[in-house]
Each structure stands twice: as structure tokens, then as C-alpha cells.
């Protein structure tokens, strides 16, 4: 059952979100930079410098695109004003996504997810992460309203497709997750009528097991994936971090030579990647200790949200159609991408912000729409009685 909720938007919610994101930008550019570098932060004059540096050769398309965005914005809004404008747009899209179901959420949980310090910093800084976060909010807003509310297709679909292209260009690995929720949302009316009531949890598990086994068998028999390809990938990731000797937080003691190291390190690397600094790193470098505490809270909330989603997938056949493919693809992409989170805790803090809309906000929206749907069903039942 799709729901339609009207008249529950909150101007106060919008104002608070905008204020939080403006504060995040100001904090990033006035305080945070005093303690650490803002990674791949882009300035309005960096495009010409980058093009001159590559000398007409091939540069990273994602970097050129990001620089072009901030160069054009910087010509109108100099310094931190251009990323502040985009951070305000992120606040507006967050409000637009949650305004109808805000009353059905735990407000403490909602604001905790919105006020993570590094989320506010990187959503308010001129960076690839900011563009991915903004695009992600556009997509999850469409996916939630199309899948769970009375939402017909409109011209706004054009902006959703553009947001998908931005993520494909900047973070192609995360694009797969967004593509899954976009696709299931786009054809959700048909899926709800035809497919949802025919697939039990056991059938979904069988499908995912068969798919995983097929991919592994293909890679083992038809390619050199488990020897040369994986090792080449591991070497490229490690070199991309260790090449910068000035990066004081680099980790050099990770055993990283073969495919078995890739599997073994995933056991600690995935959870640690979402935390950022280890406890030892936080104690030895006090400036990283708040980031460690934030990371522990972040991982705890992430586990809680996915646990609640799994519970919902057992209860609801319709939600199962959206939740189980989403979780499966999330685990697959995170497993493949985790090396980018383990060699430098500072980079881990930055990279995981790109996933914040899809890993934190999207589950929150599903939970909120489920509760709103249950409330409407209860009211209808009482009225009919």
C-alpha cells in the first residue's frame, strides 16, 4: 500500500537543517583546517592549475568535472560561499525528503545522523564528496517517494537522472547501489503488483546465493581475477596512499600481498573503515580521538539501521522487494571498495561521507514510511469499525 501524507511539512525543520549545514561550512573553513588538511578540497582557481599540470594529457575526468563546477560557482560566489550554497541545497533536499514523515521518526536518531561532525564538514566543503552527497539526496528522495508514497513520474525525473550521472562520474562503485534503488523505485508499481507477493525470504536468499556463486565461478574459471587482477588492484590502492609520504596518518603495517590478505583484512577493515581512526591512533594522536568516538557511534547506528531493515524485510513482502536487493548490493560494493578505507583514517572519514545518503538516510526513510503506513492502516481500520 502506498501512502499519501499532506500538510505535515515543517518550516522549523528546514531552518534548523540549513543552520546546521551553514555552521558545518564555517567550522570546516575556520576551525577544522587549523588541525588538519581538508584532503581533496577544491578552489575556484584549481581547474587552470590542474589542466596546466597534466599538460594536455589525460587527467581524471571526475577531477576535471569537480573543478569545473567549483570554478564556475566561484566566479559568482568566491571562497567558501560556493560550497556553502551547495550545503544549503543539501539541507533543502534533506528537508524535502523527510518533511512528510519526520513525525514518524525518532528525532534523536534523525538529528544524530544529520549532525555527525564529519558529515557536516564534508557536505559543506568544496569536494567530490559534497557533489556526491547532493546528488545522493536527490536520488533517495525520488526513490522513497516513488516506492512508498503516492508519487507519479514528473519532469523532476530529469534531475534524478542527472544526479545519477554525477555519481557515476565521480564514484562509479557507489553508483551501483544508487542504480538498484533507482531501478526498483522506477518500476515499483509493476513490481508491487506482480513480483512482491511471490518471493519469500527463502527465495531471495536462494537468488542471491545463486548469483554470488555464479559470479565467483565465472571469475575463477574464465579470468585471472583471483590472482593477477586482485593483486594489481591491491597494488594500485596501496600505492595511491603510500605515494604521499607527507600523509602522517598513513598505515604501513598492513599485510597486503595476495588474495587471501584481501579476504582476511576485510574482516577488520570494513568495520574499521567506517570508524576511521583506531583506539590506539586516537590515544596517540588526541586530535583523532573525537573522530574515533564519532566513528564508533556511526558504525553502531549503521548496524542498528540495517538490523531494523532486515526485520522489516521479514514482516513486509512489499518492503522486502526494496530492502533485500539494496542490502545485498551494499555489502557487495562495500566489500569490493573497503581497501580505500583502511590505509589512511583521514581518507576513510572523507570517503564514507559519500555513502551517507544511501547508507544512513535511505534506511531512515524506509523506516519512517513504514511507520506512517502502519498509522494510516490503523486509522482506516478504526474508522471502518
Amino acid at each position: 500500500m502506498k501512502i499519501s501524507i499532506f500538510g505535515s511539512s515543517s518550516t522549523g525543520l528546514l531552518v534548523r537543517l540549513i543552520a546546521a549545514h551553514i555552521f558545518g561550512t564555517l567550522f570546516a573553513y575556520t576551525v577544522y583546517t587549523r588541525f588538519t588538511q581538508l584532503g581533496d578540497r577544491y578552489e575556484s582557481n584549481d581547474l587552470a592549475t590542474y589542466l596546466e599540470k597534466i599538460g594536455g594529457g589525460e587527467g581524471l575526468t571526475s577531477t576535471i568535472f569537480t573543478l569545473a563546477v567549483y570554478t564556475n560557482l566561484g566566479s559568482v560566489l568566491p571562497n567558501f560561499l560556493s560550497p556553502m550554497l551547495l550545503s544549503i541545497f543539501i539541507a533543502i533536499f534533506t528537508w524535502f525528503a523527510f518533511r512528510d514523515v519526520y513525525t514518524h521518526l525518532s528525532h534523536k536518531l534523525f538529528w544524530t545522523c544529520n549532525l555527525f561532525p564529519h558529515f557536516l564538514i564534508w557536505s559543506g566543503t568544496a569536494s567530490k564528496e559534497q557533489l556526491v552527497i547532493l546528488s545522493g539526496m536527490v536520488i533517495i528522495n525520488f526513490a522513497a517517494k516513488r516506492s512508498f508514497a503516492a508519487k507519479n513520474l514528473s519532469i523532476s525525473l530529469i534531475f534524478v537522472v542527472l544526479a545519477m550521472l554525477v555519481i557515476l562520474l565521480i564514484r562509479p562503485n557507489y553508483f551501483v547501489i544508487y542504480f538498484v534503488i533507482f531501478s526498483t523505485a522506477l518500476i515499483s508499481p509493476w513490481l508491487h503488483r506482480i513480483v512482491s507477493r511471490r518471493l519469500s525470504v527463502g527465495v531471495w536468499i536462494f537468488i542471491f546465493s545463486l548469483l554470488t556463486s555464479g559470479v565467483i565461478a565465472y571469475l575463477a574459471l574464465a579470468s585471472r581475477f583471483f590472482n593477477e587482477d586482485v593483486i594489481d588492484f591491491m597494488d594500485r590502492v596501496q600505492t595511491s596512499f603510500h605515494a604521499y609520504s607527507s600523509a602522517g596518518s598513513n598505515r604501513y603495517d598492513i599485510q597486503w600481498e595476495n588474495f587471501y590478505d584481501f579476504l582476511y583484512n576485510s574482516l577488520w577493515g570494513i568495520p574499521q573503515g567506517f570508524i576511521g581512526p583506531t583506539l590506539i591512533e586516537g590515544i596517540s594522536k588526541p586530535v583523532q580521538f573525537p573522530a574515533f568516538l564519532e566513528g564508533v557511534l556511526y558504525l553502531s547506528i549503521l548496524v542498528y539501521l540495517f538490523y531494523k531493515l532486515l526485520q522489516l524485510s521479514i514482516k513486509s513482502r512489499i518492503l522486502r522487494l526494496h530492502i533485500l536487493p539494496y542490502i545485498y548490493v551494499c555489502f557487495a560494493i562495500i566489500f569490493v571498495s573497503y581497501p580505500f578505507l583502511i590505509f589512511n583514517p583521514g581518507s576513510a572519514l572523507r570517503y564514507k561521507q559519500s555513502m551517507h545518503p544511501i547508507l544512513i538516510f535511505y534506511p531512515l526513510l524506509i523506516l519512517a514510511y513504514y511507520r506512517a503506513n502502519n498509522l494510516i492502516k490503523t486509522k482506516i481500520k478504526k474508522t471502518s469499525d
Side-chain angles (χ1 to χ4, degrees):
M1 174 182 177
K2 290 194 173 186
I3 63 176
S4 181
I5 306 172
F6 301 102
S8 55
S9 60
S10 169
T11 304
L13 173 63
L14 175 61
V15 172
R16 293 196 295 272
L17 286 169
I18 291 176
H21 280 273
I22 289 176
F23 174 80
T25 300
L26 294 176
F27 181 84
Y29 282 88
T30 59
V31 178
Y32 191 74
T33 52
R34 296 177 182 269
F35 296 94
T36 185
Q37 295 180 346
L38 277 174
D40 295 330
R41 185 185 71 182
Y42 298 99
E43 304 291 351
S44 59
N45 61 347
D46 284 347
L47 178 59
T49 304
Y50 183 76
L51 293 177
E52 182 179 350
K53 180 180 177 181
I54 63 177
E58 291 187 2
L60 291 174
T61 305
S62 60
T63 300
I64 295 175
F65 172 77
T66 305
L67 287 170
V69 169
Y70 289 109
T71 296
N72 285 286
L73 282 176
S75 63
V76 180
L77 297 171
N79 300 322
F80 62 82
L81 293 179
S82 54
M84 181 182 287
L85 175 64
L86 294 185
S87 73
I88 291 173
F89 278 119
I90 291 173
I92 292 172
F93 278 109
T94 304
W95 169 76
F96 195 71
F98 285 96
R99 61 176 181 170
D100 291 337
V101 290
Y102 179 65
T103 56
H104 303 283
L105 278 171
S106 164
H107 291 182
K108 291 182 179 179
L109 179 60
F110 173 82
W111 284 108
T112 300
C113 294
N114 275 276
L115 297 179
F116 277 115
H118 281 87
F119 171 67
L120 291 178
I121 287 170
W122 286 105
S123 64
T125 304
S127 61
K128 293 177 182 177
E129 283 68 34
Q130 186 181 46
L131 298 182
V132 173
I133 291 169
L134 178 59
S135 301
M137 292 308 304
V138 174
I139 297 167
I140 68 167
N141 175 61
F142 164 82
K145 285 182 168 55
R146 173 70 174 169
S147 300
F148 312 122
K151 175 70 173 179
N152 296 320
L153 293 177
S154 66
I155 194 172
S156 62
L157 181 62
I158 297 175
F159 297 100
V160 179
V161 173
L162 290 176
M164 292 282 293
L165 292 176
V166 170
I167 294 179
L168 176 61
L169 182 63
I170 299 177
R171 293 284 184 261
N173 49 340
Y174 304 153
F175 169 81
V176 179
I177 308 176
Y178 283 103
F179 181 76
V180 167
I181 69 166
F182 170 78
S183 301
T184 55
L186 188 65
I187 60 175
S188 60
W190 176 80
L191 291 176
H192 291 173
R193 290 195 305 269
I194 307 299
V195 180
S196 63
R197 301 185 183 280
R198 301 185 181 184
L199 299 181
S200 64
V201 174
V203 173
W204 279 110
I205 293 175
F206 174 76
I207 292 173
F208 294 144
S209 300
L210 192 64
L211 177 62
T212 303
S213 300
V215 171
I216 293 174
Y218 172 79
L219 293 174
L221 298 175
S223 72
R224 53 176 195 168
F225 180 80
F226 290 110
N227 41 55
E228 297 181 28
D229 287 345
V230 171
I231 294 174
D232 288 344
F233 170 69
M234 292 166 65
D235 287 340
R236 287 198 304 271
V237 173
Q238 181 175 344
T239 302
S240 67
F241 290 96
H242 289 178
Y244 297 95
S245 56
S246 59
S249 297
N250 273 347
R251 295 169 179 151
Y252 296 95
D253 58 346
I254 299 174
Q255 185 69 25
W256 194 250
E257 295 179 356
N258 53 54
F259 180 70
Y260 299 102
D261 291 333
F262 185 93
L263 294 177
Y264 173 76
N265 287 319
S266 68
L267 299 177
W268 68 267
I270 292 176
Q272 189 61 57
F274 284 109
I275 294 174
T278 64
L279 176 60
I280 301 301
E281 290 168 339
I283 294 174
S284 60
K285 297 179 179 179
V287 71
Q288 292 188 4
F289 192 74
F292 166 75
L293 295 178
E294 177 192 343
V296 172
L297 179 60
Y298 187 98
L299 181 61
S300 301
I301 289 178
L302 185 63
V303 171
Y304 168 79
L305 290 174
F306 273 65
Y307 171 72
K308 298 299 288 185
L309 287 185
L310 286 173
Q311 283 187 320
L312 286 185
S313 69
I314 296 174
K315 293 180 181 178
S316 171
R317 286 182 176 269
I318 290 180
L319 288 180
R320 187 181 305 157
L321 181 67
H322 299 275
I323 292 173
L324 293 182
Y326 158 75
I327 291 179
Y328 174 78
V329 174
C330 279
F331 274 101
I333 297 304
I334 290 171
F335 175 74
V336 172
S337 305
Y338 90 88
F340 293 99
L341 302 175
I342 65 173
F343 285 103
N344 187 289
S347 296
L349 291 172
R350 186 174 86 248
Y351 288 158
K352 73 179 182 182
Q353 308 312 322
S354 298
M355 295 184 281
H356 199 88
I358 195 65
L359 293 184
I360 300 294
F361 287 152
Y362 185 64
L364 276 177
L365 281 172
I366 294 178
L367 293 173
Y369 274 104
Y370 173 77
R371 289 168 184 165
N373 195 8
N374 274 353
L375 180 62
I376 290 178
K377 286 182 178 178
T378 302
K379 289 182 177 179
I380 293 175
K381 184 177 180 180
K382 288 182 179 180
T383 303
S384 61
D385 292 342

